[in-house]
């Protein structure tokens, strides 16, 4: 696996790449509050069979983090930078692996470039209102009540070391399998100057994804991409109902549930790689 950087619209974007570009490509889009680091085991396990590319979004990981006054941190703009990344690398055919924030970014890409998509691999990434879990509803209540102070306090908790450990460990079936480097790496990235403001902006913009759900569901119905769903059942952001809803619109779908949470790959990377290999083959 190599760590690389590329200039996209004058911003440096870091990405991890492994495997032979002649093989099938998997584009891996990370979630909140992490980076492409979350896919390190998946990338290493699959690199002998596939070409894997995992970017850090602008404002995340090792990519540039411009001030919120210089770059408008919305899901539309993040998607545009990822789309430009795809075009710059010349990726024209790939499987799309999405986690959390990777869902609204990836589904926007899929609806814009449906011919690029060989298949979808969905890991706790939501596209249905039925999938909003305990924490998702909590965030929604803050917004509905215009409780900005409550929303920001909850966001601050989620990106604190205590909150990160909560997400990684308290949803896990076997916390001993979770490598501390995962949440410590996330925390190191979130300690960067301006990171709090970036996360606040994206938290505030998350509601822009809900009106897109119908469009994404139409994409599922009309294009019928083959789909693999990998879901940690204990996820407090997105519940199991969100996973099951995909089967209403997709005909060629395979679904697997795990006794884990939002970051179920921490415990089940080996199982996930086997399922991904079987799915693509």
């Amino acid at each position: 696996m190599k760590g690389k950087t590329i200039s996209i619209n004058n911003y440096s974007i870091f990405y991890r790449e492994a495997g032979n570009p002649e093989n099938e490509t998997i584009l891996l889009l990370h979630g909140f509050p992490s980076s492409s680091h979350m896919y390190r085991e998946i990338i290493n396990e699959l690199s002998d069979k596939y070409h894997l590319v995992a970017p850090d979004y602008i404002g995340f990981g090792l990519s540039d983090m411009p001030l919120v006054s210089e770059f408008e941190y919305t899901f539309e703009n993040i998607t545009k930078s990822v789309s430009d990344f795809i075009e710059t690398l010349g990726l024209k055919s790939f499987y799309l692996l999405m986690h959390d924030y990777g869902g609204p970014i990836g589904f926007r890409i899929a609806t814009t470039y449906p011919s690029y998509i060989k298949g979808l691999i969905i890991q706790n990434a939501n596209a249905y209102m039925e999938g909003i879990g305990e924490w998702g509803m909590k965030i929604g209540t803050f917004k509905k009540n215009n409780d900005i102070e409550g929303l920001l306090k909850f966001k601050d908790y989620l990106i604190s070391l205590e909150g990160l450990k909560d997400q990684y460990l308290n949803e896990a079936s076997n916390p001993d399998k979770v490598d501390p480097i995962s949440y410590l790496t996330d925390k190191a990235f979130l300690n960067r100057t301006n990171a709090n403001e970036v996360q606040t902006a994206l938290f505030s913009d998350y509601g822009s994804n809900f009106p897109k759900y119908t469009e994404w569901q139409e994409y599922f119905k009309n294009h019928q991409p083959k789909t693999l769903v990998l879901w940690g059942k204990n996820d407090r952001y997105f519940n199991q109902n969100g996973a099951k809803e995909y089967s209403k619109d997709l005909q060629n779908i395979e679904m697997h549930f795990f006794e884990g949470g939002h970051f179920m790959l921490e415990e089940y990377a080996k199982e996930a790689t086997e399922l991904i290999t079987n799915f693509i083959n």
Side-chain angles (χ1 to χ4, degrees):
M1 180 170 59
K2 296 180 180 179
K4 300 182 177 182
T5 59
I6 190 171
S7 180
I8 302 293
N9 302 321
N10 296 319
Y11 295 116
S12 177
I13 300 298
F14 174 85
Y15 64 103
R16 301 169 197 268
E17 185 173 23
N20 186 344
E22 298 299 316
N23 293 337
E24 295 277 15
T25 295
I26 305 174
L27 178 64
L28 305 94
L29 300 181
H30 68 79
F32 166 87
S34 196
S35 68
S36 61
H37 180 264
M38 67 169 287
Y39 289 124
R40 65 200 179 282
E41 291 189 56
I42 294 287
I43 293 171
N44 285 330
E45 290 289 333
L46 294 176
S47 60
D48 62 331
K49 303 180 184 71
Y50 309 111
H51 175 224
L52 300 108
V53 180
D56 289 350
Y57 312 136
I58 190 168
F60 287 78
L62 292 167
S63 291
D64 276 352
M65 185 182 290
L67 297 170
V68 294
S69 59
E70 298 171 352
F71 182 88
E72 187 179 8
Y73 287 93
T74 65
F75 283 87
E76 289 290 345
N77 279 345
I78 296 289
T79 300
K80 183 180 185 306
S81 70
V82 175
S83 297
D84 291 342
F85 171 84
I86 290 169
E87 294 296 334
T88 302
L89 263 61
L91 304 179
K92 301 292 185 182
S93 175
F94 50 84
Y95 288 85
L96 196 53
L97 198 168
M98 299 164 286
H99 171 253
D100 186 56
Y101 276 11
I105 294 166
F107 293 139
R108 281 177 169 85
I109 290 168
T111 54
T112 304
Y113 305 101
S115 64
Y116 289 11
I117 308 302
K118 296 289 295 289
L120 304 176
I121 304 168
I122 301 170
Q123 194 255 292
N124 292 71
N126 192 51
Y128 297 88
M129 294 305 296
E130 291 85 351
I132 304 300
E134 171 193 345
W135 278 0
M137 288 189 285
K138 185 173 184 176
I139 293 167
T141 300
F142 285 134
K143 286 183 148 303
K144 182 179 179 181
N145 295 336
N146 199 30
D147 184 358
I148 304 303
E149 181 180 359
L151 179 65
L152 293 181
K153 282 184 178 179
F154 188 50
K155 179 266 302 177
D156 287 343
Y157 169 73
L158 293 174
I159 65 175
S160 70
L161 181 58
E162 180 187 2
L164 291 168
K165 291 173 73 173
D166 186 1
Q167 294 168 75
Y168 274 93
L169 301 177
N170 289 344
E171 296 177 358
S173 60
N174 189 346
D176 290 342
K177 288 187 176 181
V178 178
D179 190 336
I181 198 66
S182 297
Y183 51 80
L184 292 175
T185 298
D186 285 353
K187 184 55 183 168
F189 289 145
L190 290 164
N191 281 342
R192 293 169 64 190
T193 303
N194 304 319
N196 195 305
E197 290 82 357
V198 168
Q199 298 305 328
T200 297
L202 286 170
F203 240 62
S204 299
D205 186 60
Y206 195 84
S208 68
N209 296 316
F210 299 138
K212 306 286 287 185
Y213 279 8
T214 300
E215 178 184 345
W216 302 340
Q217 292 159 20
E218 286 301 310
Y219 161 77
F220 303 150
K221 294 173 186 175
N222 294 333
H223 292 275
Q224 289 297 321
K226 72 172 185 174
T227 300
L228 172 65
V229 175
L230 308 173
W231 208 272
K233 296 193 291 186
N234 304 327
D235 190 343
R236 287 169 286 180
Y237 289 109
F238 307 121
N239 62 41
Q240 295 180 66
N241 294 329
K244 295 172 182 177
E245 287 294 308
Y246 285 104
S247 62
K248 290 172 54 177
D249 295 320
L250 291 161
Q251 298 169 7
N252 187 5
I253 185 170
E254 181 182 339
M255 197 172 298
H256 299 270
F257 292 95
F258 296 84
E259 286 294 341
H262 195 62
F263 292 103
M264 51 78 62
L265 293 180
E266 293 291 319
E267 298 182 85
Y268 301 103
K270 186 176 185 297
E271 292 84 348
T273 56
E274 291 175 355
L275 290 168
I276 291 169
T277 299
N278 292 337
F279 169 71
I280 293 177
N281 292 343

